[in-house]
Amino acid sequence: MSDNLALRFNTVIKENEVEDLDTKWTVQKVKDYLFNSECSAEIIEEFRQDHRKGVQKLLVQYDRKQAQIAKAIRHFEHMSSYEKKHWEKGKLHIVGIDEVGRGGPLAGPVVAAAVILPKEFQLIGIDDSKKLSKEKREEFYEHIIEQSLDYNIGIIEPSEIDQINIFQATKKAMRLALNGLSKDIEHILIDAMQLEGLAYPSDSIIKGDQKSISIAAASIVAKVTRDRLMEELHLSHPHYDFHKNSGYGTRAHIEAIKKYGLTKHHRRSFLKSLT
């Protein structure tokens, strides 16, 4: 075959390959495959040979998403290190404890959660509840409740917070959550707080909701529980926008207190300047 004929032959083959690729994989089909399917390396490589700008743009988005997933997996593995240390010793009931509503809210309870996760637990993206959107917290909450070996909630209302102070109320909420578990506890991981006189070994971990999947799970359960409680309070006390501010001291909340006064759900010890 002459050089010119070989060149023409190869050109026709390449053009046919492109036409076949265009016919088999429209840009929309490529998009659906990349973001709604389990992708094979062979097909991804096929896409990388596709010179259409739309396909190349989708591949950039796909690669970015894969990098984010890989980062989240590494973060999950890092956050599992405390649990793995104890699981490897044969301990299966590792409790994570965290609270929500301790420092800032002017109204509403302090809520603590205690959660025991199974050894095979997987939830890529789990993190401190404050770092997650409301939608993601709700999604993760359902997964945690469904997959956990055990969980429990401790709630201390504002009237008791005023009596014993928020620090002691937080500890009491944590103990209530802990004492309501049905599983035999083998180790406890607590976010920052020290709980004295425990009958079980424990670790107090600074920023534990960012370092332990069990504490992060407790953080999410406590946060969603408290937010739902505040949304319920909004129905009977709509002036204070509890469904939006969760009891925190927003300008609108402060103005409502000045205009309508305090409810039994307000922490009067936090509002001495307004009473």
Side-chain angles (χ1 to χ4, degrees):
M1 181 182 295
S2 68
D3 291 344
N4 287 339
L5 186 58
L7 179 61
R8 288 176 58 193
F9 178 78
N10 289 334
T11 300
V12 170
I13 292 297
K14 289 180 180 178
E15 286 176 351
N16 287 339
E17 286 176 352
V18 171
E19 288 174 1
D20 289 344
L21 193 60
D22 290 353
T23 301
K24 182 180 178 181
W25 292 103
T26 64
V27 174
Q28 183 59 49
K29 284 185 178 179
V30 172
K31 181 178 181 180
D32 291 341
Y33 182 81
L34 288 175
F35 299 106
N36 298 306
S37 307
E38 291 188 13
C39 302
S40 77
E42 292 80 7
I43 293 180
I44 295 297
E45 186 57 33
E46 183 179 344
F47 291 159
R48 296 195 189 282
Q49 306 307 313
D50 189 327
H51 298 295
R52 287 174 291 175
K53 290 183 178 179
V55 173
Q56 293 304 311
K57 183 177 180 180
L58 289 171
L59 285 170
V60 170
Q61 296 172 359
Y62 172 81
D63 289 340
R64 186 181 299 122
K65 180 181 178 183
Q66 293 305 112
Q68 291 172 345
I69 292 172
K71 182 179 179 180
I73 291 173
R74 290 194 300 271
H75 185 57
F76 181 85
E77 291 299 320
H78 176 71
M79 288 183 66
S80 303
S81 59
Y82 284 97
E83 287 77 9
K84 284 182 177 179
K85 179 177 67 175
H86 296 293
W87 288 334
E88 289 170 358
K89 294 178 181 178
K91 298 179 180 180
L92 298 180
H93 298 160
I94 314 303
V95 185
I97 303 179
D98 200 6
E99 54 74 29
V100 174
R102 175 185 173 188
L106 305 181
V110 59
V111 176
V115 177
I116 302 177
L117 299 177
K119 189 175 181 179
E120 65 276 8
F121 181 80
Q122 287 283 333
L123 184 54
I124 305 304
I126 191 172
D127 211 328
D128 171 10
S129 63
K130 296 186 290 298
K131 292 187 174 184
L132 303 174
S133 67
K134 177 179 173 61
E135 292 74 17
K136 189 59 69 174
R137 283 197 302 268
E138 292 280 351
E139 175 189 336
F140 284 5
Y141 172 89
E142 297 300 333
H143 183 84
I144 292 164
I145 295 304
E146 180 181 341
Q147 297 297 321
S148 66
L149 296 176
D150 199 6
Y151 76 96
N152 192 48
I153 304 294
I155 298 175
I156 302 297
E157 297 292 348
S159 58
E160 189 167 3
I161 292 173
D162 290 337
Q163 291 174 8
I164 65 176
N165 75 52
I166 187 61
F167 184 70
Q168 295 302 325
T170 300
K171 287 188 174 184
K172 185 171 182 178
M174 287 182 168
R175 290 182 183 279
L176 287 173
L178 187 63
N179 293 337
L181 293 171
S182 60
K183 298 291 184 181
D184 293 332
I185 298 168
E186 294 175 273
H187 201 93
I188 305 171
L189 304 175
I190 312 170
D191 185 41
M193 298 283 286
Q194 294 278 357
L195 293 181
E196 301 82 4
L198 292 173
Y200 323 96
S202 65
D203 296 314
S204 176
I205 305 171
I206 303 298
K207 295 185 178 180
D209 48 11
Q210 301 174 36
K211 300 176 181 178
S212 158
I213 56 172
S214 299
I215 296 177
S219 166
I220 292 166
V221 171
K223 174 65 174 169
V224 172
T225 299
R226 189 177 188 280
D227 284 352
R228 290 178 178 179
L229 288 173
M230 298 308 295
E231 288 167 5
E232 290 179 10
L233 290 182
H234 170 72
L235 299 178
S236 55
H237 303 280
H239 300 305
Y240 302 92
D241 283 345
F242 290 149
H243 65 312
K244 293 181 180 179
N245 59 45
S246 294
Y248 284 80
T250 63
R251 179 179 297 180
H253 187 183
I254 297 295
E255 291 302 317
I257 292 173
K258 291 178 179 178
K259 184 174 182 179
Y260 300 104
L262 301 179
T263 70
K264 65 178 182 179
H265 305 292
H266 281 95
R267 303 175 181 182
R268 295 177 183 272
S269 57
F270 282 47
L271 289 157
K272 292 180 179 179
S273 62
L274 296 178
T275 57

